[in-house]
Amino acid sequence: MSLGWGYAQQVTTSPERRRTDPKAARTSGPGHPARRDRHGRGLRGRLVPATVPLARTKAEIFDDLVLDTVESLERRYAKELVGVEFAVEDVPPELNVYDSDVLEDGEVPLARLLPGRPGRHELPPRIVLYRRPLEFRAMDREDLADLVHDVIIEQVANLLGVDPDELA
């Protein structure tokens, strides 16, 4: 009986034959290749060890820059920043018009200050930084660190109602 499409017989092979016969290794069952990737080398792991700087993603590096700035501000203004949340999002939400709580470069939001709401469902103040627009504007890692620092200072100054030069 012919099944058509070149599947006239089902291949069952022993482990020894699979190691020596490349065609047998490709067909371990109907529709299930024996190999795990295209070149038969198995699943890929990390290309670099976790201890070297190359192992960190752009998002992790960005988060570290934000944490460095926030920690330095919290050391100096601990009482004023109690309860303030800092968050990072990849891209800003798509809105037609942004309120005055958004720090923009041209028409692209870089960060947003959500002042919080007292009351029954109390929401703490929150500063949200948008990672991709900030990374796009930076030339290198040092420039990105300076830009992140400036944006956070600007948003904290808006939250506290002070001049950004006083915080820097």
Side-chain angles (χ1 to χ4, degrees):
M1 177 172 130
S2 175
L3 299 175
W5 299 96
Y7 295 106
Q9 64 181 0
Q10 184 172 355
V11 177
T12 56
T13 60
S14 67
E16 291 83 24
R17 183 167 175 223
R18 275 190 225 126
R19 280 189 225 117
T20 59
D21 185 10
K23 186 173 183 181
R26 279 188 231 127
T27 56
S28 66
H32 300 289
R35 299 181 302 175
R36 292 180 282 187
D37 73 351
R38 193 171 96 166
H39 299 288
R41 295 184 189 121
L43 299 174
R44 290 182 71 166
R46 288 183 169 264
L47 296 177
V48 293
T51 57
V52 298
L54 284 176
R56 303 195 43 83
T57 64
K58 286 183 177 183
E60 291 171 335
I61 292 169
F62 189 86
D63 290 345
D64 287 344
L65 294 174
V66 171
L67 281 174
D68 290 343
T69 301
V70 169
E71 286 173 355
S72 70
L73 280 173
E74 284 181 340
R75 281 192 296 268
R76 294 185 293 169
Y77 303 100
K79 194 182 340 178
E80 292 87 350
L81 295 177
V82 169
V84 176
E85 296 179 352
F86 294 86
V88 173
E89 292 183 16
D90 282 340
V91 293
E94 291 188 35
L95 300 173
N96 293 338
V97 178
Y98 291 101
D99 296 332
S100 62
D101 62 347
V102 176
L103 179 64
E104 295 178 313
D105 179 22
E107 294 188 15
V108 179
L110 302 177
R112 183 173 192 172
L113 169 64
L114 303 168
R117 288 182 244 146
R120 201 173 88 180
H121 300 289
E122 185 173 324
L123 292 175
R126 181 176 223 187
I127 296 174
V128 181
L129 276 75
Y130 301 117
R131 180 177 65 87
R132 299 288 301 268
L134 288 167
E135 286 178 341
F136 184 72
R137 280 154 182 73
M139 301 300 270
D140 56 11
R141 196 174 193 173
E142 290 177 19
D143 193 29
L144 180 61
D146 291 339
L147 185 58
V148 166
H149 177 77
D150 292 344
V151 167
I152 291 175
I153 292 290
E154 179 81 25
Q155 293 299 76
V156 169
N158 286 342
L159 177 67
L160 300 178
V162 298
D163 187 38
D165 293 332
E166 291 179 26
L167 296 178

